[in-house]
Amino acid sequence: MSRSGALQNPDILFHIFTAFYRTGWEYDHGPFETNYTRGLHPLAAVSRAWRHAAMDHFLLKHLTLEVTKPPRRGRHAGYFQQLFAQPPPVLRNMGPYGHVKTNDALLVYHTNAHVIPHANNRATSLYIYLGNNVTTNDLLTALEQIGFERYRLPEVTALSLVTDRMYVPGVANDSAIREPLYHKLNSIGVAVDWIFRMAPRISSVKLGSRSKLPYPMQIPLQASIMDNVAQLSRLEISNQFCSFTIPPLFPPLAVLSICPVHHTLNFVLAKIAPGCLQKLRLYQINPRHFIETIGAADADDTVVFPELVSLDLQFTAVSTGAGQEDIPSHWHRGSRGNSSAPGCQSPLHFPKLRIVYIHNYYYDISGIFPCFQQSPLHTLHFSTHPWVYLNAGIHRLTQLRRIWLTFETRLPRALPDDFFRPLFEMRSTALTDLTFYSSLNIVTTPLTHMLLGHLRTLDLDIRLGYDQIIGFMRQLPFLVNLRFILDIATVDRTSPALELFQKDLAPCSRSVQHMVVVFSPIVTDLENEPSSLAVLDNMLLLTAHMPCLGRLRTSFSAALFKSHLRRAMSVRQFASKGAHLLLLKYTCRKER
């Protein structure tokens, strides 16, 4: 197929447009960062085939509406100032854009409603964005302009509603915040009410905000959402600044995501049946409240989440006036002295749990880990304090395939011998990926043994000696991806380069294909110091005895690396071992 023919193929165009259209919700940076259908309008204008692909896959399936105030600065500010200087009514439609001025409304809206028929349409989702200072009248005006009341949306099952910043940080006058907030919250309630009347089959609701408030407020929802709430299966709230009334019997949700959890939303969990939950994500929640709201506070009861697959918890500090709050003993039963010891019973049971994210720097939550020992858990992301890590007993989770450990707090530069020993010497045939990250300082470990024989990826923010990393590689026969910090004090910087290149070593690794080396202290080629060049020569000697290495990244420039490689290849003993380095893909990593 020719290139021009490929760009007319509907399947290929679908993948091209998919790169431009994203809901934005799945990204950690924030909810619904933008409406990506905007990028499809110029793509749809390229050719007839591109227009058909854009219409069939996206523009006709996702009804979008963005309501904002006209910009006060920028290249479009002058145009809007001149436009709205005219007496009302002013109504302009320019493709997907519309500009409206009435006696009580001054707004700009962007929508693709003009390409979606009112009846017999195939729209499956709604995206509504409310800009800063948009009131209920503004929203109703925009809905009237696009004829929203004439739409019938029987296939729409997903609603995404995003609001812009609600207030200006630092405003001292409380009424200056509450008054625009009232209008904003009222407009949200009106929008949701309209949508549920037009699209009665909505089962997925996502509410997002680009700002947080110092206190929660109430969304004045109408009765329509309460009449249809029983069919909801997915509720996601991100950066939400408010709560809403929960009916006595909440629907059996499959996905619940609340980030962050305000105190007014803690009661939501107590009213949700755990029997259907497949994904639970709660940020900024207190462990005690979590235990109480899911119904596990009673030491005689066991709460079972039979369908839960993914659990994402971010615990936050709650000011109690008495320092760090104690964790309730209900995390575990049996052994109060060692909560992670084998045989401890837990009030929580996750028979299908596979993925866990836990972010905690405030509490000893190690007692929750016995809950995972009976689960088919294969992925664990754990950000915590070192002492919580030691108490958690992660090495007992022998079914894990991937482990990410993050310490965003300062660690002792020399870790005790037993800090990583249980993890490094865990006799697991399942673990394939191990990542350790420390953001504030570099640590060392005296360990030289690693019994994780099936490891394929090893990413360590740990300073290792030259011989130490060689020993690790020889103990990991299946290792493919490797990143580590090399302590240059352990590198031979006294032997001449020619003598180094003539050394005959046993293969360091026959499996590593991708390696990233970070030097400590930082080493670059800016000064071309002999000691720095000696580090590079030792790196060449190491890579020459890694016959499968295909990609390498260090802080030395590509030009310097290639020049030293050419010099090394002139030595017969080195050339016989390092012929594969001629095909090596080398990149320079800038040190900070």
Side-chain angles (χ1 to χ4, degrees):
M1 183 184 296
S2 64
R3 180 177 300 179
S4 59
L7 293 180
Q8 305 300 318
N9 185 289
D11 295 332
I12 295 178
L13 291 178
F14 172 75
H15 292 291
I16 294 176
F17 292 154
T18 300
F20 280 85
Y21 180 83
R22 296 288 186 273
T23 62
W25 183 263
E26 301 299 333
Y27 293 102
D28 291 334
H29 309 303
F32 315 106
E33 288 295 342
T34 184
N35 175 11
Y36 283 85
T37 55
R38 284 186 176 188
L40 295 178
H41 289 288
L43 294 180
V46 171
S47 68
R48 180 175 297 178
W50 284 48
R51 177 173 177 82
H52 287 323
M55 290 292 182
D56 292 341
H57 291 300
F58 299 103
L59 293 178
L60 293 178
K61 293 185 178 181
H62 306 277
L63 177 59
T64 66
L65 173 63
E66 300 182 19
V67 185
T68 62
K69 290 293 187 179
R72 297 181 179 179
R73 58 181 64 89
R75 61 177 182 172
H76 299 300
Y79 167 77
F80 284 109
Q81 290 176 2
Q82 181 180 4
L83 176 68
F84 290 121
Q86 306 175 26
V90 174
L91 173 61
R92 296 287 181 90
N93 288 296
M94 300 172 57
Y97 296 91
H99 318 302
V100 179
K101 178 182 180 181
T102 65
N103 290 325
D104 55 358
L106 183 68
L107 62 98
V108 180
Y109 67 88
H110 173 283
T111 182
N112 66 335
H114 64 290
V115 301
I116 297 180
H118 291 136
N120 300 322
N121 60 72
R122 295 182 290 116
T124 59
S125 68
L126 290 176
Y127 173 97
I128 292 185
Y129 171 79
L130 303 178
N132 195 17
N133 297 325
V134 171
T135 66
T136 302
N137 289 333
D138 295 333
L139 176 63
L140 293 176
T141 301
L143 292 173
E144 180 182 356
Q145 296 301 324
I146 68 173
F148 192 77
E149 72 282 355
R150 299 194 297 273
Y151 276 92
R152 293 299 176 263
L153 304 168
E155 297 185 22
V156 168
T157 59
L159 164 65
S160 302
L161 194 150
V162 190
T163 62
D164 204 341
R165 298 183 182 275
M166 300 294 103
Y167 72 108
V168 178
V171 176
N173 188 355
D174 185 69
S175 62
I177 298 177
R178 288 187 176 272
E179 185 173 357
L181 276 178
Y182 172 78
H183 293 296
K184 173 71 72 172
L185 298 179
N186 193 52
S187 64
I188 293 174
V190 171
V192 174
D193 181 58
W194 271 66
I195 292 167
F196 268 85
R197 284 194 280 115
M198 298 295 104
R201 295 179 58 191
I202 288 180
S203 60
S204 173
V205 175
K206 301 179 182 180
L207 303 177
S209 172
R210 295 185 179 178
S211 64
K212 302 175 184 178
L213 286 185
Y215 43 77
M217 295 186 70
Q218 188 82 9
I219 296 180
L221 294 182
Q222 308 297 323
S224 59
I225 188 173
M226 297 307 167
D227 296 337
N228 295 275
V229 76
Q231 67 195 28
L232 286 182
S233 63
R234 186 183 188 104
L235 176 62
E236 302 186 32
I237 304 176
S238 181
N239 283 350
Q240 200 59 26
F241 48 85
C242 48
S243 63
F244 50 84
T245 304
I246 302 297
L249 295 176
F250 208 69
L253 292 175
V255 177
L256 175 63
S257 176
I258 304 179
C259 311
V261 177
H262 284 293
H263 297 298
T264 54
L265 289 175
N266 281 333
F267 68 92
V268 172
L269 296 181
K271 297 183 179 181
I272 293 180
C276 296
L277 266 181
Q278 300 176 16
K279 180 179 179 181
L280 179 61
R281 185 184 186 194
L282 302 173
Y283 277 18
Q284 296 187 21
I285 188 172
N286 179 270
R288 184 182 299 277
H289 294 158
F290 175 70
I291 288 293
E292 294 174 351
T293 52
I294 65 175
D298 189 346
D300 296 329
D301 293 337
T302 298
V303 179
V304 181
F305 291 80
E307 301 297 328
L308 192 66
V309 176
S310 176
L311 178 64
D312 189 350
L313 300 175
Q314 184 184 88
F315 297 111
T316 186
V318 176
S319 178
T320 60
Q324 188 181 49
E325 184 177 343
D326 294 332
I327 292 301
S329 59
H330 304 115
W331 280 112
H332 52 84
R333 305 189 191 112
S335 174
R336 297 197 178 261
N338 187 1
S339 61
S340 59
C344 289
Q345 296 180 346
S346 171
L348 303 177
H349 184 43
F350 310 103
K352 293 186 179 180
L353 188 63
R354 291 175 173 83
I355 303 174
V356 171
Y357 295 82
I358 295 182
H359 184 96
N360 165 72
Y361 284 89
Y362 304 98
Y363 309 95
D364 183 2
I365 61 166
S366 56
I368 195 176
F369 283 87
C371 307
F372 305 143
Q373 294 183 16
Q374 305 301 321
S375 304
L377 190 66
H378 62 65
T379 300
L380 173 64
H381 291 250
F382 192 24
S383 301
T384 189
H385 274 292
W387 54 271
V388 178
Y389 155 78
L390 289 174
N391 294 335
I394 295 177
H395 61 281
R396 296 191 178 94
L397 304 176
T398 56
Q399 74 276 25
L400 283 173
R401 300 177 190 173
R402 289 175 288 273
I403 298 177
W404 281 266
L405 294 176
T406 302
F407 297 146
E408 296 179 1
T409 184
R410 187 164 294 278
L411 298 173
R413 290 196 174 273
L415 293 173
D417 293 359
D418 58 349
F419 191 81
F420 284 115
R421 187 180 302 278
L423 184 62
F424 283 5
E425 298 184 357
M426 182 171 64
R427 298 183 181 274
S428 171
T429 59
L431 190 64
T432 59
D433 293 56
L434 176 60
T435 298
F436 168 79
Y437 177 72
S438 176
S439 62
L440 294 183
N441 64 325
I442 300 174
V443 299
T444 61
T445 178
L447 291 179
T448 58
H449 297 286
M450 189 171 291
L451 303 182
L452 304 172
H454 290 75
L455 208 62
R456 294 179 59 85
T457 298
L458 182 61
D459 188 345
L460 298 177
D461 260 359
I462 301 176
R463 183 164 47 198
L464 302 174
Y466 188 79
D467 295 332
Q468 196 176 13
I469 191 60
I470 292 177
F472 280 154
M473 284 194 289
R474 288 174 177 170
Q475 296 168 26
L476 303 174
F478 300 104
L479 191 63
V480 176
N481 304 298
L482 174 64
R483 189 189 76 92
F484 63 95
I485 299 175
L486 179 63
D487 185 358
I488 64 173
T490 63
V491 175
D492 181 7
R493 289 179 286 177
T494 58
S495 300
L498 182 60
E499 181 179 334
L500 282 175
F501 295 151
Q502 291 176 344
K503 283 186 177 181
D504 188 13
L505 302 178
C508 300
S509 174
R510 297 185 183 274
S511 60
V512 173
Q513 301 176 16
H514 180 205
M515 185 168 71
V516 178
V517 183
V518 181
F519 299 112
S520 177
I522 295 175
V523 175
T524 65
D525 59 329
L526 298 179
E527 300 179 0
N528 285 332
E529 295 181 356
S531 60
S532 298
L533 299 181
V535 173
L536 177 55
D537 293 336
N538 279 271
M539 283 303 307
L540 287 173
L541 178 64
L542 178 65
T543 56
H545 293 81
M546 301 171 64
C548 292
L549 187 65
R551 291 184 295 168
L552 175 65
R553 191 177 184 188
T554 74
S555 59
F556 291 106
S557 67
L560 182 65
F561 179 85
K562 291 179 180 179
S563 66
H564 272 246
L565 178 59
R566 286 193 297 268
R567 186 179 67 167
M569 293 300 291
S570 64
V571 179
R572 181 176 56 83
Q573 293 89 334
F574 185 93
S576 63
K577 297 287 186 180
H580 62 281
L581 296 180
L582 296 176
L583 302 176
L584 183 70
K585 294 182 179 179
Y586 178 83
T587 55
C588 176
R589 177 187 185 275
K590 295 297 183 182
E591 299 281 5
R592 294 183 177 181

